[in-house]
Amino acid sequence: HPVASAEDNLSYCVDFVWRSALPALPVPWPRNQECPRDAVCVPSADHLVLAVSHAWRYQAHPDPTGVKAAVICDLATQARAAHRPKEGTAIFFDFLSLSQRPFKEGQEERTEAEVQRFTRALAAMPRIYVLADATLHLGDLHETSVPHEQQAESLSGISREAQALSVDCAELEDAVLVQIESEVRIQSWRRKPASKVAYGPFDRILDVNGMAVRSIEDFQRAQRTALRQCTPARARLERAPFGKRNQTSSCARGWIFLERFCSMLKVATVDESEID
């Protein structure tokens, strides 16, 4: 298939997934590393190749509730019926096709080799969208909030103050923290907690004993203050099991613009009767 020319040895860094395998995948869909190997294929000239263009709503997973999964399965079935390929339908969907960072407990970080393959895949992506037989542009879908995510007061009817989780700071001493702009979030654990906890990666630290936490230094300073005052240091956490939400419209995202531009180029080179 022409898409194979998007990168030397494309199958080394990019996996295409059979359309027929998608309905059997658990929701939320697994990342590339956990995708069943019998669901992965290398497209040939007789396959229909579809590329999915979509915006990630969450930092760690593009589709926590399976809303996109249902739409992709439906559109891919329609595309297959319209194009009637001799063989199966292969799909490029970044979360399934490229190695990804962990999104839940127990998953390993990307290896150095996986990071290298990911970097090569990113460079090949524009050509994948140009050379695919068709692109499924999803746009902004209406997605419900994920389980355990702290919601806005207008959605839940419960104040954000009441939803926050109070935790002894000593429980967070093995947490690896990361600062994203003016937010401090749990990234991972140096050592797994001895007992099950109600919080985890991507949760945000709001404050410690009422002192706002906008940087890792703020968090450390608040703990030192509590120690000097001989008072327990308690942090309030905002639950975010799939990471920080991205509220930016798909129309305003660079990758989406590029993928739509690739479709514009393809449309401009064919007769109007071939456009669907």
Side-chain angles (χ1 to χ4, degrees):
H1 193 281
V3 78
S5 65
E7 165 70 25
D8 292 337
N9 195 11
L10 184 66
S11 61
Y12 169 75
C13 56
V14 174
D15 287 329
F16 290 83
V17 180
W18 291 119
R19 175 199 65 87
S20 57
L22 296 182
L25 295 178
V27 174
W29 277 352
R31 61 178 184 161
N32 170 260
Q33 293 93 315
E34 282 78 45
C35 186
R37 291 299 92 186
D38 59 1
V40 173
C41 63
V42 177
S44 72
D46 291 331
H47 290 115
L48 173 67
V49 175
L50 305 176
V52 180
S53 173
H54 68 111
W56 286 44
R57 187 186 181 198
Y58 288 89
Q59 171 190 356
H61 199 290
D63 187 29
T65 60
V67 172
K68 288 180 182 176
V71 174
I72 292 169
C73 288
D74 181 54
L75 291 177
T77 299
Q78 292 182 43
R80 177 173 174 78
H83 290 272
R84 293 184 292 180
K86 293 181 180 179
E87 299 292 340
T89 300
I91 294 179
F92 173 83
F93 180 72
D94 53 7
F95 195 70
L96 295 173
S97 299
L98 280 61
S99 60
Q100 303 292 331
R101 297 187 63 184
F103 73 91
K104 65 180 181 180
E105 292 284 354
Q107 293 181 335
E108 298 292 333
E109 281 285 352
R110 279 190 294 223
T111 65
E112 185 174 336
E114 287 171 343
V115 171
Q116 292 175 355
R117 290 198 292 269
F118 178 80
T119 302
R120 285 180 58 178
L122 286 183
M125 279 177 61
R127 292 188 291 275
I128 290 174
Y129 283 92
V130 169
L131 296 170
D133 295 306
T135 300
L136 309 180
H137 295 279
L138 300 193
D140 293 316
L141 302 177
H142 177 69
E143 299 176 78
T144 57
S145 296
V146 302
H148 308 302
E149 180 190 31
Q150 185 166 322
Q151 301 176 14
E153 183 175 352
S154 60
L155 295 176
S156 65
I158 305 173
S159 71
R160 297 185 72 85
E161 295 287 329
Q163 294 181 69
L165 184 68
S166 179
V167 175
D168 188 330
C169 286
E171 297 180 28
L172 301 176
E173 63 181 11
D174 287 321
V176 177
L177 304 181
V178 62
Q179 185 171 333
I180 303 175
E181 297 177 342
S182 61
E183 298 180 356
V184 176
R185 295 180 179 268
I186 298 173
Q187 183 180 58
S188 59
W189 301 104
R190 296 186 187 89
R191 183 174 55 195
K192 190 174 181 180
S195 58
K196 188 174 181 179
V197 294
Y199 49 89
F202 309 116
D203 289 351
R204 177 188 174 192
I205 301 176
L206 298 174
D207 58 51
V208 174
N209 292 356
M211 297 177 61
V213 172
R214 296 188 178 89
S215 67
I216 294 177
E217 290 74 18
D218 284 348
F219 178 66
Q220 297 168 340
R221 187 181 305 113
Q223 290 185 89
R224 291 195 297 267
T225 299
L227 182 62
R228 287 197 304 269
Q229 296 174 347
C230 298
T231 58
R234 296 199 66 83
R236 288 192 316 124
L237 303 183
E238 180 180 78
R239 297 300 320 280
F242 289 97
K244 183 179 174 66
R245 276 199 197 193
N246 190 335
Q247 306 285 15
T248 305
S249 167
S250 60
C251 296
R253 302 195 194 189
W255 269 110
I256 301 301
F257 179 85
L258 174 61
E259 290 156 10
R260 291 178 180 178
F261 183 71
C262 290
S263 290
M264 291 166 59
L265 288 177
K266 293 165 72 173
V267 168
T269 61
V270 300
D271 187 84
E272 187 174 342
S273 62
E274 298 181 58
I275 300 172
D276 184 4

